[in-house]
Amino acid sequence: MSADKEAVVAAVEKPVVAAAKPKPYPFWLGGVAASIAASVTHPLDLTKVRLQTSSDKRMIASMKKTIATEGVKGLYDGLTGTLLRQMTYSMARFAAYDKIKEAMHVGPGPPPAWKMALAGSCAGGIAGIVGNPFELIMVRMQADKKKYGYRNSLQAFFKMTRDEGPKSWFRGVVPNGIRSILMNASQLGSYDWFKNALLGSGVSDGPILHFFASLGAGTVATTVCSPADVIKSRVMNAKGSAGTMEIIRTSLANEGPRFLFKGWLPAWTRLQPTTILIFLTLEQLKAGVDKYRAAGGTHL
């Protein structure tokens, strides 16, 4: 056999070595990115909750009322609850979404939209249960922490457990879980969809692409989640034994179906920059991890 033929045979018979699977990013990156974003947009989140749970009608008027009665620092009431919520709920949803998406799609190319939506739904269900106690504390602290005697998130958690028992951890878990499922299917799934669509249309991967992908994801998520978000806030802020269905019936009787979208504008105004900040921050954190690993770092 000639040398050329032997070279061809060797090339054909040479075993194909599978590309090394990339090392996953640290599971806590999503929680850190969400905490940074939530710290910036907290006044809007607080105003959204107060619009949903009080007689306030307008976003700006509600913010002025808060400043007039509590000062500028009043716009940051419940910030510790928000941060604790992000490092439980958001950390769980981002970590679970990546794992579930990876398990569901092993073929070439990006996963189809339905797989991303399903992965987001599953991740949302997990995160909704894990983060429910701290979601409850966050809502109460933002609505009126003086009414509950809360000083910070940890004191609030122990006080709630002592006064209301561990069962209080799961108050509002059904509407919160539904909202979490809808949020993550629409936000995480649509962000990936928009990102892949933009990449496919020739937009280069970078902050501009991440901005527009998150802009689309925030609008989709706000609209899809508004009804569950309003119901969740009202259930969590209600005292006594009023159940979810009773609260829905009362709200429908008093305000009509439009109550389901009460606070949509502040919700969009809050969620949109939050979504943009989360994904821009998360992408930059991932880029930082990549640079760290390329430089020989082994701790991330």
Side-chain angles (χ1 to χ4, degrees):
M1 184 182 294
S2 67
D4 289 341
K5 289 184 178 180
E6 289 178 356
V8 171
V9 171
V12 171
E13 294 179 349
K14 185 178 180 180
V16 177
V17 179
K21 189 176 181 180
K23 183 180 178 181
Y25 291 104
F27 71 93
W28 43 262
L29 282 189
V32 172
S35 295
I36 293 171
S39 297
V40 175
T41 61
H42 183 78
L44 295 171
D45 195 27
L46 176 139
T47 303
K48 179 206 70 171
V49 170
R50 292 188 175 178
L51 280 170
Q52 291 175 342
T53 59
S54 71
S55 59
D56 292 352
K57 302 294 183 182
R58 300 179 185 278
M59 179 177 67
I60 300 300
S62 181
M63 294 181 78
K64 287 182 177 179
K65 177 182 173 182
T66 298
I67 295 172
T69 56
E70 306 170 51
V72 175
K73 65 180 178 128
L75 293 173
Y76 293 89
D77 268 355
L79 179 60
T80 60
T82 295
L83 295 178
L84 186 57
R85 182 248 192 183
Q86 298 300 343
M87 288 306 295
T88 51
Y89 164 77
S90 287
M91 184 169 66
R93 72 188 180 111
F94 277 103
Y97 177 69
D98 287 339
K99 290 291 184 183
I100 295 169
K101 185 174 64 172
E102 181 183 351
M104 288 180 62
H105 187 74
V106 294
W114 71 267
K115 284 188 177 180
M116 292 186 288
L118 182 58
S121 298
C122 294
I126 294 168
I129 295 171
V130 171
N132 196 77
F134 310 105
E135 181 92 18
L136 173 58
I137 288 168
M138 182 191 73
V139 168
R140 288 182 172 184
M141 291 183 74
Q142 290 178 347
D144 189 353
K145 70 178 184 180
K146 292 179 181 177
K147 179 171 76 172
Y148 296 97
Y150 294 164
R151 296 191 301 273
N152 57 63
S153 57
L154 292 178
Q155 178 265 348
F157 178 72
F158 288 114
K159 186 176 189 300
M160 182 179 73
T161 304
R162 182 193 65 203
D163 296 346
E164 304 173 49
K167 66 180 182 180
S168 65
W169 298 350
F170 301 102
R171 181 174 178 83
V173 71
V174 173
N176 186 44
I178 293 172
R179 175 193 173 277
S180 182
I181 289 170
L182 294 173
M183 170 62 75
N184 287 283
S186 58
Q187 189 188 58
L188 300 184
S190 65
Y191 175 78
D192 274 351
W193 186 88
F194 281 117
K195 183 178 177 180
N196 291 332
L198 290 169
L199 286 170
S201 66
V203 180
S204 59
D205 194 5
I208 293 177
L209 179 144
H210 304 152
F211 173 85
F212 283 106
S214 55
L215 187 69
T219 301
V220 171
T222 302
T223 305
V224 170
C225 297
S226 182
D229 196 24
V230 172
I231 294 169
K232 177 213 70 171
S233 293
R234 294 191 177 196
V235 169
M236 287 184 167
N237 193 51
K239 278 200 166 184
S241 57
T244 300
M245 293 309 300
E246 181 182 348
I247 290 171
I248 293 174
R249 283 195 296 268
T250 302
S251 297
L252 280 171
N254 294 336
E255 304 170 64
R258 288 186 300 176
F259 92 91
L260 292 170
F261 293 93
K262 187 176 181 183
W264 186 94
L265 178 59
W268 181 85
T269 306
R270 192 275 307 180
L271 185 61
Q272 197 61 273
T274 299
T275 302
I276 292 169
L277 284 170
I278 285 176
F279 286 113
L280 285 177
T281 304
L282 182 59
E283 296 283 5
Q284 291 303 307
L285 289 174
K286 288 180 176 179
V289 171
D290 289 338
K291 290 180 181 178
Y292 171 78
R293 290 174 178 174
T298 59
H299 297 294
L300 293 177

